[in-house]
Amino acid sequence: MDKDLLLYEKSRAGRRTLRLGKLDVPAADTSDLPLRENPPDLPEIAELELVRHYVRLSKKNVSIADSFYPLGSCTMKYNPVANEAAAGIGGFRAAHPLLDAGRCQGVLAVMKRVEEFLAAVTGLPCVTLHPAAGAQGELSALLVANAHFAARGDGGRTKVLIPDSAHGTNPASAAVAGLDPVTVRSGEDGLVDVGDLDAKLGADTAVFMVTNPNTLGLFEPEIAAICEKVHAVGGLVYMDGANLNALMGIARPADFGVDMMHTNLHKTFSTPHGGGGPGAGPICVTEELGRFLPVPRVVEDEGGFRLETDAPDSIGMLRGWSCNFGVILRAYAYMRRLGPEGVRRVAENAVINANYLRVRLRDAFHVPFDGLCMHEFVATTRHQRTGGVHAIDVAKRLIDLGHHPMTVYFPLVVNEAMMVEPTETETKETLDAFVEDMLLIAEEAREHPDRLHDAPVTTPVGRLDEGRAVKEPVLRFRRG
Ligand SMILES: *Cc1c(COP(=O)(O)O)cnc(C)c1O
């Protein structure tokens, strides 16, 4: 509702005149507006009640701040307190996006250094921090690809080839970019079926969009040969970089032939995650594609740093301003604290932790691709079939036992998938406690399957009908 209108109504109803500090807020001229007869019935409560309300709510919420959060594909790291301290520094916190470059050299320097860091990690030299999420990074890169093909007069490239194990954002981004998503099958081994890829590659291929390691936690051993095949038909390779946590400091995607990729700062680089944002999905591309990146670009020259919008080949802007700076700053703090050695250790520990859990759980739960995994692995409830226990029952029982559930029913190529990603930030004690509870759940599935079917029993609400909740939401601000 219009703010002026609301204030006017309040005073008309004889309640009180609202003053902001010493400033009287004048009533707007509302004579020709359709006014409601009665003031709106908005809740009014004391500050303490409000504080208690939110503290109570926060206790009902589960977050990485109070429990293990092995959500596969999401890389749920903790958000280091040092990042928050950096984000709270006054000069950064108060910087307005319309400040002229001379007054925000520090802000622009941080942006430039983060770009350079991502270029070093990926091997792709041209970087933009513009996209607000991984999904928007995918879209930006596909628009860059469209611009690249248009610039060389290469029409008719309409297809984006995407493995069936990919995240749903991949085909969605292709469709939004005006391209046709085409599914490439995974083989028995969970990897790209190269025969199927060969059959689908051609003069109409715009981009092959590959997640590596893929969502099963498997590194594509043939990735370099695959990239060569895509290049041989004139296409580009896009890597969904959501799983960079397994690679950084060890392998650079540019070295195996990737032309474009996004990174999820809210996953790999430990910035806040969830609730729909803000996030950051910077994209990194080859030198050849750099001129098509979104504007504004950060430029560093003798005069210092500035934002450049004059880029005739650019695809333009996909959102307001240059980036979610608070997120970029947190990522910068994380990168600086780790350094190149630390970055490599992160990847190594993420892989070791995932393999530790895989090996400890593989007798109790079925692990369909039971070789060395990267930063995550997929298990299933196939061993629990006799008790009628499904992945959703295991997930709900984990809530009772104090853990956030893993990702379930994704990737779609595995039935009853339970996708576990511990990340490098967990101690062995935490991993062991999770294993003990998973083994307990496996035993319960045999002895007392109803305990799993009834879970969760420790939460304010029990098992919800999530499908119905989406279709028939009940939205209200007060009870009754
Ligand atoms: C998270 C994720 C995405 C999308 O990233 P957002 O930042 O959530 O938009 C894409 N692909 C994979 C594999 C992911 O895990």
Side-chain angles (χ1 to χ4, degrees):
M1 173 178 286
D2 183 293
K3 194 163 155 240
D4 286 336
L5 185 60
L6 185 65
L7 296 172
Y8 175 77
E9 284 171 346
K10 282 204 168 185
S11 54
R12 196 178 61 152
R15 290 166 92 172
R16 72 179 106 105
T17 314
L18 200 79
R19 284 162 192 270
L20 297 177
K22 287 201 174 87
L23 186 74
D24 275 323
V25 180
D29 177 11
T30 55
S31 47
D32 54 356
L33 290 179
L35 294 181
R36 58 155 77 227
E37 293 296 322
N38 302 305
D41 185 19
L42 296 176
E44 288 193 39
I45 57 167
E47 177 179 333
L48 186 54
E49 292 304 312
L50 189 72
V51 169
R52 284 178 185 156
H53 171 70
Y54 282 111
V55 170
R56 270 188 224 119
L57 276 186
S58 76
K59 286 185 189 164
K60 287 180 183 160
N61 196 17
V62 175
S63 80
I64 197 154
D66 64 8
S67 60
F68 183 48
Y69 212 118
L71 208 54
S73 200
C74 275
T75 309
M76 293 298 300
K77 305 184 177 196
Y78 79 131
N79 304 140
V81 177
N83 291 3
E84 300 307 312
I89 294 172
F92 289 130
R93 199 184 56 220
H96 189 279
L98 285 177
L99 275 181
D100 60 54
R103 287 166 177 263
C104 57
Q105 286 291 295
V107 170
L108 298 176
V110 165
M111 288 168 63
K112 193 73 196 166
R113 297 300 166 248
V114 169
E115 287 185 8
E116 288 165 357
F117 184 93
L118 293 174
V121 166
T122 62
L124 292 162
C126 300
V127 182
T128 174
L129 308 176
H130 191 65
Q136 202 179 34
E138 295 167 15
L139 174 63
S140 311
L142 291 173
L143 295 178
V144 163
N146 283 346
H148 162 76
F149 294 126
R152 73 175 192 204
D154 189 356
R157 292 196 180 266
T158 54
K159 303 219 160 114
V160 182
L161 309 189
I162 305 170
D164 54 9
S165 57
H167 195 271
T169 51
N170 290 189
S173 298
V176 175
L179 297 161
D180 300 325
V182 175
T183 302
V184 177
R185 272 199 309 272
S186 301
E188 292 288 299
D189 52 5
L191 301 168
V192 171
D193 178 335
V194 180
D196 194 43
L197 175 67
D198 279 337
K200 287 169 179 165
L201 277 174
D204 58 358
T205 302
V207 176
F208 176 56
M209 232 176 163
V210 64
T211 308
N212 191 32
N214 68 16
T215 60
L216 296 162
L218 306 174
F219 188 87
E220 294 285 349
E222 295 304 319
I223 188 68
I226 287 173
C227 291
E228 269 176 36
K229 285 173 188 280
V230 178
H231 292 151
V233 299
L236 294 171
V237 177
Y238 179 83
M239 188 172 114
D240 177 328
N243 293 341
L244 187 62
N245 216 40
L247 296 189
M248 60 177 180
I250 298 173
R252 299 189 310 172
D255 294 340
F256 45 74
V258 168
D259 302 295
M260 320 181 276
M261 68 177 287
H262 77 256
T263 58
N264 301 69
L265 299 191
H266 46 286
K267 294 180 183 174
T268 317
F269 296 101
S270 82
T271 72
H273 190 149
I283 58 171
C284 309
V285 303
T286 57
E287 195 76 55
E288 192 189 3
L289 299 173
R291 66 192 169 109
F292 303 111
L293 286 178
V295 285
R297 307 286 314 278
V298 191
V299 174
E300 181 177 12
D301 55 25
E302 320 78 59
F305 300 92
R306 62 193 164 80
L307 284 176
E308 179 63 80
T309 49
D310 181 21
D313 298 325
S314 167
I315 59 165
M317 295 180 80
L318 285 99
R319 54 185 291 269
W321 316 115
S322 43
C323 62
N324 277 332
F325 181 69
V327 175
I328 306 299
L329 182 55
R330 286 173 173 87
Y332 177 72
Y334 180 72
M335 293 163 178
R336 287 298 302 269
R337 224 153 54 103
L338 287 175
E341 275 310 304
V343 163
R344 187 188 174 97
R345 265 206 329 276
V346 163
E348 288 169 349
N349 284 333
V351 171
I352 289 168
N353 284 358
N355 278 287
Y356 179 72
L357 290 186
R358 176 181 61 83
V359 171
R360 287 213 57 197
L361 292 176
R362 67 181 172 193
D363 293 334
F365 294 90
H366 167 237
V367 176
F369 306 102
D370 191 19
L372 197 67
C373 65
M374 295 288 111
H375 63 305
E376 64 192 355
F377 69 99
V378 173
T380 85
T381 47
R382 203 163 98 181
H383 293 353
Q384 281 72 34
R385 214 171 252 168
T386 45
V389 164
H390 296 276
I392 192 74
D393 303 314
V394 175
K396 297 296 182 190
R397 187 68 179 133
L398 274 173
I399 298 174
D400 283 339
L401 298 172
H403 309 282
H404 192 286
M406 67 290 270
T407 297
V408 289
Y409 300 113
F410 180 78
L412 306 177
V413 291
V414 174
N415 267 338
E416 298 292 336
M418 299 185 293
M419 187 189 198
V420 180
E421 179 181 2
T423 79
E424 76 287 354
T425 49
E426 299 295 344
T427 61
K428 180 163 179 297
E429 287 75 12
T430 300
L431 301 183
D432 285 336
F434 175 72
V435 168
E436 292 312 317
D437 286 335
M438 283 293 282
L439 298 180
L440 174 71
I441 288 173
E443 190 187 310
E444 286 180 340
R446 284 190 304 273
E447 312 288 330
H448 314 281
D450 280 345
R451 271 191 212 162
L452 275 62
H453 294 134
D454 294 342
V457 295
T458 58
T459 47
V461 290
R463 187 83 63 106
L464 296 173
D465 181 346
E466 289 164 15
R468 195 161 151 229
V470 170
K471 294 205 170 101
E472 296 167 30
V474 179
L475 304 172
R476 61 186 176 205
F477 70 82
R478 85 160 49 136
R479 231 177 234 137

